[in-house]
Amino acid sequence: MEKILINDIQHNLKGELTVPGDKSISHRAIMLGSISHGITEIDNFLMGEDCIATINAFRKMGVEIKEQGSKVIVGGVGLHGLKEPSGIIDAKNSGTTTRLISGILAGQPFESTITGDDSLKKRPMKRVIDPLSKMGAKFLSIDEDYHIPFTISGGNLKGFSYETSVPSAQVKSAILLAGLYADCPTTVIEPSPSRDHSELMLEYFGALIKRHSPTEVSIKPNPRLMGQHIIVSGDISSAAYFMVAGLITEGSDILIKDVNINPTRSGIIRVIEAMDGNISLSDIRKVSNEDVADIHVAYSPNMHGTTISGDIIPTLIDEIPIIAVLSAFANGKTIVKDAAELKVKESNRIDTIVNGLTNMGANIKATNDGFVINGGDLLFGAKIETKKDHRIAMAFAVANLICKGSVILDDEECVNISFPGFFKTLESLI
């Protein structure tokens, strides 16, 4: 459904807020709770469409899961207690569901089929299927690139050491989850560190994880995982929109409470600091094995461009759309490179970012692995083609705060994938 955004160019955003629970952690809590013994209680679970797809997938495999508002209670069936799915698993739009559950299904002594929506059917799965196939799982797909739908015949997995060509938390996680069912330890080696939510939560549930270095991790098979109480901290990817809104909107002052600041996810904080944004952290603490803090931001008219590349990219890949909006506001040149992964997200985010900001009058050029923005120019309202990509929709909703005229989103409902209530939260600060 099309949405015309309210624009009053004099917005002053002030207040305190929380954002929905972290999407990555919510997915993993359901998965590990399901294959653990006993009850797992999950507080502040993200009731977005992606995470609900994960709940429904495990219900199809005989796991009892109760929803009580933002609390979810999972009746774990143990590592070997999953049943053959009662039907085809529909991952909807969720790449995380598809890739991570493939690791678990690879270890099961039954056959299962995964499908999804039209967008997910275009996303690459071969880089997950290849290592799982080497471990002994069998995959039948509609094409040689292993797009969904595909069928998995699992069981009798062999532990091994696998070196990935690019850092990917989803690939690493799928292999480690399959490693729970292998005949000997399994090791993943990456060219640079990726998100480590899986390792932290596996440890929390009792798995035997060994970190050889920031880029090499091993898991031992057949642990006795035990249900846990998980408090899902606020998703920094969701907080990022309000961080940038506060930085670019005159007179703004915002406190975002209880945000996950895991170092493998918090690259946007380092970028804002490098651009001289007014940002600070307080009440830093551990919650369910994750680093959490309150984040304060205020209007920062003297921000400048920077170069974003290399090892920091995996720590902020989902935040690049909103970083692009920030860069269009900042003075001078911002270069984003080494981010070809953007092409295989919910949309080709290089194209959707560049096309949208170009339509708003920004000086931005696409490159093979990112883009270059010369910021500081006035933006104008425009109709934005979101490609049903939730992060694109939210990023341009923030751009609307500082443009002349109004942004029109061709689809507003896609934000429900990760942030139900996003527009109400934003309007509450105005």
Side-chain angles (χ1 to χ4, degrees):
M1 181 182 297
E2 186 174 281
K3 183 177 181 67
I4 302 175
L5 300 174
I6 298 170
N7 190 307
D8 163 358
I9 213 147
Q10 300 298 318
H11 295 311
N12 298 307
L13 305 181
K14 293 184 182 293
E16 180 179 305
L17 68 137
T18 58
V19 295
D22 187 277
K23 187 155 74 84
S24 297
I25 296 173
S26 294
H27 279 299
R28 288 158 172 80
I30 294 295
M31 294 183 185
L32 292 182
S34 294
I35 59 174
S36 296
H37 293 275
I39 300 297
T40 290
E41 293 189 4
I42 309 167
D43 287 324
N44 199 37
F45 183 84
L46 173 62
M47 287 296 178
E49 293 173 1
D50 278 13
C51 296
I52 291 172
T54 294
I55 287 177
N56 289 334
F58 281 90
R59 282 176 171 157
K60 282 183 178 292
M61 292 185 282
V63 181
E64 184 177 353
I65 303 175
K66 298 178 181 178
E67 301 169 32
Q68 300 175 354
S70 62
K71 176 190 282 289
V72 177
I73 301 172
V74 182
V77 298
L79 198 63
H80 301 284
L82 296 177
K83 298 177 181 178
E84 184 168 348
S86 57
I88 293 174
I89 292 171
D90 187 353
K92 302 292 185 180
N93 186 250
S94 179
T96 303
T97 303
T98 306
R99 296 188 179 105
L100 269 63
I101 205 172
S102 293
I104 293 174
L105 294 174
Q108 306 305 316
F110 52 68
E111 191 173 272
S112 48
T113 300
I114 305 175
T115 191
D117 67 11
D118 289 342
S119 172
L120 189 60
K121 287 176 180 177
K122 298 174 184 176
R123 298 177 68 180
M125 298 297 162
K126 185 174 172 59
R127 59 184 176 177
V128 170
I129 305 313
D130 279 348
L132 297 180
S133 297
K134 287 182 170 67
M135 296 179 76
K138 294 179 174 60
F139 290 81
L140 179 63
S141 178
I142 58 173
D143 59 36
E144 62 183 14
D145 289 324
Y146 289 102
H147 291 99
I148 60 169
F150 55 63
T151 298
I152 307 171
S153 298
N156 299 315
L157 298 185
K158 306 292 184 183
F160 76 144
S161 180
Y162 187 77
E163 190 165 346
T164 65
S165 57
V166 296
S168 169
Q170 292 184 3
V171 174
K172 175 178 63 175
S173 298
I175 297 169
L176 293 176
L177 289 169
L180 293 169
Y181 299 92
D183 62 350
C184 64
T186 295
T187 300
V188 182
I189 304 166
E190 299 184 287
S192 60
S194 65
R195 299 179 183 184
D196 66 352
H197 296 306
S198 292
E199 296 96 301
L200 292 173
M201 192 172 290
L202 280 161
E203 287 178 325
Y204 201 62
F205 276 84
L208 301 173
I209 294 283
K210 183 174 182 179
R211 292 177 176 82
H212 306 280
S213 74
T215 59
E216 183 177 351
V217 61
S218 298
I219 190 167
K220 290 185 177 180
N222 294 306
R224 183 174 174 82
L225 304 179
M226 299 301 299
Q228 300 294 329
H229 179 208
I230 301 290
I231 300 173
V232 183
S233 43
D235 195 325
I236 194 167
S237 297
S238 296
Y241 304 104
F242 299 97
M243 292 158 61
V244 171
L247 293 166
I248 68 178
T249 310
E250 187 171 355
S252 294
D253 193 290
I254 302 173
L255 181 67
I256 313 165
K257 302 277 289 183
D258 307 325
V259 181
N260 187 287
I261 57 163
N262 181 312
T264 66
R265 285 285 301 284
S266 57
I268 187 171
I269 294 174
R270 300 198 294 277
V271 166
I272 291 170
E273 291 171 339
M275 297 173 77
D276 285 338
N278 189 342
I279 185 169
S280 61
L281 308 183
S282 61
D283 195 16
I284 299 172
R285 59 206 185 274
K286 286 279 188 185
V287 177
S288 298
N289 217 26
E290 292 275 357
D291 294 324
V292 177
D294 300 340
I295 300 177
H296 174 256
V297 293
Y299 179 54
S300 304
N302 297 316
M303 294 186 71
H304 57 79
T306 188
T307 296
I308 306 167
S309 63
D311 289 353
I312 199 171
I313 292 293
T315 73
L316 49 67
I317 191 70
D318 286 337
E319 289 72 71
I320 289 179
I322 192 61
I323 289 173
V325 172
L326 177 62
S327 302
F329 163 82
N331 297 308
K333 181 183 293 186
T334 293
I335 301 170
V336 174
K337 58 184 180 180
D338 303 324
E341 178 76 7
L342 291 171
K343 295 179 180 180
V344 293
K345 290 292 186 177
E346 285 84 337
S347 67
N348 180 331
R349 286 183 179 160
I350 293 177
D351 287 349
T352 47
I353 290 166
V354 171
N355 291 341
L357 284 174
T358 297
N359 290 342
M360 294 184 71
N363 183 347
I364 180 170
K365 300 292 184 185
T367 64
N368 288 335
D369 60 353
F371 46 83
V372 179
I373 300 178
N374 288 288
D377 293 336
L378 177 64
L379 300 181
F380 297 89
K383 185 168 183 177
I384 302 300
E385 189 177 2
T386 63
K387 302 289 187 179
K388 298 187 181 297
D389 188 329
H390 55 127
R391 302 209 186 279
I392 295 297
M394 290 185 279
F396 281 96
V398 172
N400 178 71
L401 296 171
I402 58 165
C403 73
K404 184 176 182 179
S406 293
V407 165
I408 303 172
L409 302 177
D410 70 348
D411 186 302
E412 65 167 318
E413 295 176 357
C414 61
V415 304
N416 294 327
I417 290 170
S418 64
F419 200 152
F422 167 78
F423 292 109
K424 287 184 178 179
T425 303
L426 183 59
E427 290 165 9
S428 73
L429 296 172
I430 297 174

